[in-house]
Amino acid sequence: MNNISKEVMHVGEMASGAQLTVPVYRIKGREGFPSVYIQANMHGAEVQGNAVIFQLLEILKDTKVNGHITFVPYANPVGCNHKNGEYTLGRFDPITGVNWNRMYYFDESIIAPFVEQYKNAQPSDIQAKFKQQLIDSIDKKLQNNEFGLTTGQRIAYQLQQLAHQADIVLDLHTGPISSKHLYCPEYAQESASYFNIPHTILIPNVFSGALDEATFCSWWSLQEALNKVGNTFSISSQTCIKESFTVELGSQEQIDLAEAYQDALSILTYLQRKNVIENPSLKPDNIKRYACYLKDYKAYYSPMGGMVDYLAEFGVPLTAGQPLAQILRMDNYGDGEPLHKITLDYDVLPILHFASASVNQGTELYKMFTRYFTL
């Protein structure tokens, strides 16, 4: 049986002096295998990831683990507790208004001087030195910021420091009302098929503040820069695997332990393929997998206010002209048109929709794949 250690990480303080803390669980593996970092619940209402981490820990008690694995449920103690009546908010920092998952750090200016110094180095040396530089850069942000940090930055940087110690990073999220989908760097497209997740969004090498980007963009940028000067360093080799994903587990504000068990098996199937664990019985499900590039992942905003009947099913191709939704306007009943059907002029694959039936004009109704293809 694997030993699971626990520590409590202090990530901030409340006005009363009470400590903001995050639990950190670890399973110790062996050197020479990929290490993994998994976190959940950075957004307050996105709670299913905590149930998945529970199931992962339960399964891994009796599974052969090769690489070190670190788990962080309740990654954002402020967001977890940000309630308004019966609803959990916690998507945005209530003080600054910034999305909690847009506060991570990547400074692309570190790449060029590092490449100049290590352009002739061996892959193992490059990997070790750059990893340490990433960890040190976050430490400097935490320790040497004369103007201080926001609550969100302090939480995000401490989480990112843990993530930089790993080779594989999985950030567990959910949508409002959503299908399961995966944000995957373009270079790791093959790995998307190792998860039992039917929908994949392929992300370019562009940093916009999210954890997956903060961890994979640095390594992808390094690889590209080294390759330009003739060093064949690769982050997709057997000796150097660097992959990061945002794993969207369905809908927010609910947990389902039975479904979490299946999600845990999906993650473990991927980790089995990456040699982090050993369980040959875990194989990817034979399902149809759709993908699109991030630029083709589109939001549709409501053309009017009203009450929405969401008609389009997730994961089912919607051909041009088929109804996406219909909007009820009872204020028009008797002297106007109370029911308005919404259709599109092109084929889409619906992925998620807004959580409420009551919408203002301009509310994001659906997010959907356009120009999608099969993996």
Side-chain angles (χ1 to χ4, degrees), residues 280-347:
S281 67
L282 290 172
K283 299 182 186 302
D285 289 346
N286 183 21
I287 58 175
K288 195 164 192 176
R289 293 176 171 84
Y290 293 99
C292 81
Y293 291 100
L294 183 62
K295 64 182 176 62
D296 297 320
Y297 185 45
K298 303 293 187 181
Y300 179 84
Y301 299 95
S302 182
M304 64 182 70
M307 306 294 136
V308 182
D309 181 10
Y310 298 97
L311 299 176
E313 293 183 56
F314 299 144
V316 178
L318 188 76
T319 58
Q322 286 186 308
L324 181 70
Q326 54 187 352
I327 298 180
L328 176 64
R329 287 289 299 266
M330 283 304 298
D331 58 312
N332 289 338
Y333 193 85
D335 58 4
E337 178 54 59
L339 206 55
H340 300 263
K341 272 201 167 52
I342 296 173
T343 61
L344 300 174
D345 295 331
Y346 45 86
D347 298 349

Side-chain angles (χ1 to χ4, degrees), residues 99-352:
N99 186 324
W100 289 111
N101 193 35
R102 296 297 183 272
M103 301 190 207
Y104 298 98
Y105 175 74
F106 169 50
D107 179 8
E108 195 168 1
S109 68
I110 69 172
I111 301 295
F114 183 91
V115 169
E116 181 61 30
Q117 184 174 359
Y118 294 102
K119 60 185 176 183
N120 296 318
Q122 295 299 309
S124 58
D125 291 334
I126 292 171
Q127 185 175 357
K129 296 291 186 183
F130 192 65
K131 175 181 176 180
Q132 190 60 53
Q133 182 162 326
L134 292 174
I135 294 169
D136 291 346
S137 69
I138 298 297
D139 191 58
K140 288 178 183 177
K141 295 289 288 183
L142 286 165
Q143 304 300 332
N144 303 319
N145 195 305
E146 63 175 315
F147 294 106
L149 299 168
T150 69
T151 300
Q153 288 171 326
R154 187 169 296 280
I155 293 171
Y157 294 167
Q158 290 183 78
L159 295 171
Q160 188 175 347
Q161 202 166 41
L162 292 177
H164 277 322
Q165 296 172 36
D167 301 305
I168 293 168
V169 175
L170 303 178
D171 192 11
L172 308 185
H173 285 255
T174 64
I177 306 297
S178 177
S179 65
K180 295 179 185 180
H181 55 288
L182 185 72
Y183 285 87
C184 170
E186 290 177 4
Y187 70 84
Q189 177 176 328
E190 182 180 348
S191 292
S193 63
Y194 303 152
F195 295 89
N196 298 326
I197 295 177
H199 310 120
T200 297
I201 303 159
L202 297 169
I203 316 175
N205 191 14
V206 177
F207 176 65
S208 60
L211 178 63
D212 57 351
E213 299 161 348
T215 44
F216 78 66
C217 282
S218 55
W219 288 98
W220 192 351
S221 297
L222 176 67
Q223 174 183 278
E224 290 181 326
L226 282 168
N227 292 170
K228 284 180 181 178
V229 297
N231 189 308
T232 58
F233 178 78
S234 171
I235 55 174
S236 301
S237 64
Q238 288 187 335
T239 57
C240 181
I241 298 170
K242 300 293 179 182
E243 294 184 348
S244 303
F245 305 90
T246 294
V247 184
E248 300 278 355
L249 298 164
S251 303
Q252 64 188 27
E253 288 280 47
Q254 59 186 12
I255 69 165
D256 182 328
L257 283 168
E259 195 63 28
Y261 182 80
Q262 297 303 317
D263 293 330
L265 292 180
S266 171
I267 289 170
L268 291 173
T269 299
Y270 164 76
L271 296 182
Q272 154 72 17
R273 293 299 292 260
K274 297 300 176 181
N275 207 22
V276 177
I277 66 166
E278 288 188 27
N279 186 344
S281 67
L282 290 172
K283 299 182 186 302
D285 289 346
N286 183 21
I287 58 175
K288 195 164 192 176
R289 293 176 171 84
Y290 293 99
C292 81
Y293 291 100
L294 183 62
K295 64 182 176 62
D296 297 320
Y297 185 45
K298 303 293 187 181
Y300 179 84
Y301 299 95
S302 182
M304 64 182 70
M307 306 294 136
V308 182
D309 181 10
Y310 298 97
L311 299 176
E313 293 183 56
F314 299 144
V316 178
L318 188 76
T319 58
Q322 286 186 308
L324 181 70
Q326 54 187 352
I327 298 180
L328 176 64
R329 287 289 299 266
M330 283 304 298
D331 58 312
N332 289 338
Y333 193 85
D335 58 4
E337 178 54 59
L339 206 55
H340 300 263
K341 272 201 167 52
I342 296 173
T343 61
L344 300 174
D345 295 331
Y346 45 86
D347 298 349
V348 298
L349 189 72
I351 298 297
L352 61 83

Side-chain angles (χ1 to χ4, degrees), residues 7-80:
E7 66 184 73
V8 175
M9 183 169 69
H10 296 269
V11 295
E13 295 178 355
M14 303 293 285
S16 65
Q19 295 284 328
L20 291 170
T21 63
V22 171
V24 180
Y25 298 89
R26 288 188 171 92
I27 298 176
K28 187 175 182 180
R30 294 172 286 163
E31 298 302 322
F33 293 92
S35 55
V36 181
Y37 173 79
I38 302 176
Q39 75 173 35
N41 211 176
M42 191 61 183
H43 291 139
E46 300 181 12
V47 293
Q48 176 70 356
N50 299 316
V52 173
I53 286 179
F54 167 77
Q55 296 289 26
L56 285 167
L57 288 168
E58 288 290 288
I59 296 169
L60 289 172
K61 284 179 182 177
D62 299 307
T63 300
K64 184 174 181 181
V65 174
N66 293 327
H68 307 304
I69 311 178
T70 300
F71 302 90
V72 179
Y74 307 125
N76 179 0
V78 180
C80 289

